[in-house]
Structures are given as structure tokens and as C-alpha cells.
Amino acid sequence: MQQKPILWILFLCLSLSSFAQSKLEVKGKSPDLFLEHKVVAKETWYSVGRLYNLHPKEIAPFNSTDLNTGLKIGQLLKIPLVAGNFSQDERKESDEVLVPVYHQVAEGEWMYRVSVNHNKVALDKLEKWNGITRDQIRSGMQLIVGFLKVKRELSALAQQAVQSTAGKQPKVENQPKAPIEPPKEEKQVIATTQTPKSTTEKPAPVPVLKQQEPVAISGSVDYNGGFFRSQFRNGSKSANGQATIFRSTSGWKDGKYYALMDNVAVGTIVKIRHTGSNKVVYAKVLGQLSDIKENTGLAIRISNAAAAELGAGNGEARFSVEVQY
């Protein structure tokens, strides 16, 4: 009569060693999010179900098969993430724990797109769980996008659980570190109304203009193209289109101009020519254009000091530019 509990304990120990170091990486997009599980020796539909807190009747159809078909060692199963085993509000039953589920950021992907692809999880939650701000997201980062709910006593994955209390940031072991801060010249580039709460500076958030209105220019500058001119490397790519402005404290006294542009690596120096005045400035790319209505059809946003040197500060909401990089 003691054999079954002993066998279960041995299986749980083997599972613990198998999952000790692996992170759970989400696959797919809303509403069909899933994890991948590679079948090991002696696993059954029911043991896999216990591992991911999901009845095998939900797992088998998701893999276009049924419970009468046995599992094979090395077989790759898709484990659906549904309301019963996936939490993005940190709620769980008393006998459950929360295991972080990660998404690896793709090239050119920004926080808003990560949110949309993962059940439109709130941006502030993504920031809280990962200890970063939305403008710090970088290609290759692993971001927590939610939590797998597993039974504390039944799943080997429970060892990867986080400690979470309402209103506090979950404590995640081996949590990915925030990216290295950009050079000092990029700090506090964009004017904000918030005062940092700690002595550790963070890159200023990417500005979001809620209305498509002309942005006032608070003066004129002429730095012969700007501080970054000498760093420009003439590339083979160019883009023609509409530009507009974001407010920035940088550039007025030092000629350090900045820009927001899609599909261009952060830190790239771009050459911007105003097709109306034929004037040129050089700006460093700080990040992507946010996915909002006001940015539809835009090629680039530039700091208002850069626009002033281009002669684009005469009340025009948008102006035509040619960008080389």
C-alpha cells in the first residue's frame, strides 16, 4: 500500500531536477497563449496536467489529439494558458502559488505591443513585475507577462514561485536585471513634471502627445547640425515622410538633438533634412514611436530644439523630412 506514494515522491523529485533552472516562456498571441512542454520518461497526460494545473481534457484537444493516444518521450506538447491556470491579476487559490511566465522581446518590439499580444495586460503591471519603465525595454529582454497558477503540493514548478502581496511588487528569484542606463547625455532629455523619488536616475519617459497640435518652439538655435554631427555614419538607408515634434529640455544650449523612430536601433545617429527649408540636423534615436493615433503616418518625431534649427517651428503640426541612417 506504500508503493504509490513512494513512486509519486520519486517522480516529483525527478521533475524538480528537470525544471530547476528552466524559465517558462510564453508562446503564441492573445487569445491563444501557451507554453511548450517536452515529454520525459514515465510522464502521462495526467502527470503533465498536474504539473501545469490543467485537466488533460483541455490539453489533448489543444494538441489536436485525445487522451487515448499515449505520450512519447521527446514529444512537444502545447499547454494552453487559460483562466484556470494563468493569472495576470495575481489572484490564486489558497493552495496555489504563482510562477512567472516570460516573453522574450523581439527586435523593434515595444511595451505596448507586448501588452496587446498578451491579453492587453496593463502597462503599469509589466513595469512593476519587471522593475523597469516602458522606455527601457530592449530587444532580447525576458519580460514577465503573467503567472502560471500551480498547486503547491502537486507541481514541481512550484519551486519557481514568487512571493506576492496585493499592491506590492512580486519578489522573483533570478529576476532579469534592468538594462544598463544610457549615457549621461541622454538622461533627463525630455521634460517631465515628475520628480524622481530616489537618487538613482532613470531615463526620462518617451513623451506622448495626446492631441495633434502645433508644438510651440521656445526660441531659435544654430549649432551647424548639432552635437551628434561628427558621429553620423552615412548609411544606405533613407526614409521620406512626415515629422512632428516632442518637447525636450535638451539641445537648446548644447545642440544635442534626439528623435523617436520605428525600425531604427536605439542610439543610431540619423540625418534629418527639412525639405521645405533644406536645413539639416543630426539626432540620436532614443526609441520607437508609440502605437497611438497621433503617430499614424509619421516617419519620425524630433526634439523641439532640433525642429527650431530646421526652421520648422512656425506653428506647423507636421512637416516633410528626408531621414538618412
Side-chain angles (χ1 to χ4, degrees):
M1 297 294 292
Q2 298 298 320
Q3 286 186 340
K4 286 186 177 180
I6 292 173
L7 288 174
W8 169 242
I9 291 172
L10 287 173
F11 174 75
L12 186 59
C13 290
L14 288 172
S15 298
L16 283 170
S17 62
S18 299
F19 294 100
Q21 301 299 327
S22 59
K23 288 183 177 181
L24 300 180
E25 186 172 335
V26 67
K27 305 289 184 181
K29 296 180 181 179
S30 305
D32 298 317
L33 300 175
F34 62 92
L35 302 171
E36 288 185 339
H37 174 82
K38 192 173 184 179
V39 177
V40 299
K42 301 186 183 299
E43 278 191 320
T44 66
W45 286 109
Y46 288 91
S47 65
V48 172
R50 283 192 293 270
L51 188 65
Y52 295 97
N53 197 18
L54 199 63
H55 197 284
K57 288 183 179 180
E58 293 188 68
I59 302 174
F62 198 77
N63 289 270
S64 302
T65 186
D66 57 58
L67 299 182
N68 296 320
T69 304
L71 298 178
K72 298 179 181 179
I73 296 176
Q75 182 178 351
L76 204 61
L77 292 178
K78 294 180 179 180
I79 310 297
L81 293 174
V82 294
N85 70 344
F86 189 51
S87 171
Q88 290 177 297
D89 57 12
E90 299 178 55
R91 295 181 183 176
K92 60 182 179 61
E93 299 298 329
S94 59
D95 61 343
E96 294 176 336
V97 292
L98 299 176
V99 179
V101 173
Y102 295 85
H103 164 74
Q104 183 164 320
V105 179
E107 184 70 33
E109 192 173 32
W110 59 100
M111 191 82 83
Y112 176 81
R113 184 53 52 195
V114 173
S115 167
V116 169
N117 289 343
H118 298 88
N119 299 331
K120 295 184 178 179
V121 57
L123 295 177
D124 59 348
K125 288 189 176 183
L126 293 175
E127 291 179 320
K128 182 186 75 168
W129 294 338
N130 294 282
I132 63 172
T133 57
R134 64 197 69 182
D135 56 299
Q136 289 178 295
I137 190 171
R138 299 291 184 270
S139 172
M141 288 179 66
Q142 287 191 314
L143 294 183
I144 298 173
V145 294
F147 300 89
L148 181 72
K149 298 185 291 185
V150 299
K151 299 296 183 183
R152 183 182 293 104
E153 304 298 332
L154 296 180
S155 175
L157 294 171
Q159 65 172 329
Q160 299 181 31
V162 300
Q163 297 176 356
S164 176
T165 56
K168 295 184 179 180
Q169 179 174 337
K171 182 181 180 181
V172 185
E173 293 198 12
N174 300 321
Q175 184 172 352
K177 296 181 180 180
I180 298 173
E181 288 186 321
K184 291 183 179 179
E185 65 190 28
E186 292 186 22
K187 294 178 182 177
Q188 298 181 351
V189 170
I190 297 166
T192 65
T193 58
Q194 297 179 347
T195 302
K197 294 183 179 180
S198 68
T199 56
T200 303
E201 292 187 41
K202 294 182 180 180
V206 174
V208 177
L209 300 182
K210 295 182 178 180
Q211 299 179 358
Q212 183 58 48
E213 297 177 346
V215 182
I217 300 300
S218 57
S220 60
V221 291
D222 186 359
Y223 287 99
N224 194 27
F227 178 86
F228 298 115
R229 178 173 182 164
S230 62
Q231 300 178 30
F232 176 69
R233 299 293 178 266
N234 193 15
S236 59
K237 297 182 179 180
S238 64
N240 293 290
Q242 296 292 301
T244 191
I245 304 166
F246 63 80
R247 300 180 188 277
S248 171
T249 59
S250 181
W252 298 104
K253 296 181 179 180
D254 55 14
K256 292 180 180 178
Y257 303 141
Y258 295 92
L260 304 174
M261 187 174 180
D262 289 338
N263 304 315
V264 178
V266 172
T268 300
I269 308 300
V270 297
K271 178 181 178 181
I272 306 159
R273 184 178 68 86
H274 186 345
T275 57
S277 65
N278 207 34
K279 292 183 178 180
V280 172
V281 295
Y282 299 81
K284 178 176 285 190
V285 175
L286 286 180
Q288 307 282 319
L289 289 165
S290 56
D291 193 3
I292 58 176
K293 180 181 179 181
E294 287 77 8
N295 285 338
T296 302
L298 280 182
I300 195 170
R301 277 187 183 268
I302 63 175
S303 56
N304 47 351
E309 179 156 340
L310 286 178
N314 298 319
E316 48 191 324
R318 295 191 177 198
F319 49 93
S320 298
V321 295
E322 178 186 49
V323 184
Q324 290 181 294
Y325 55 99

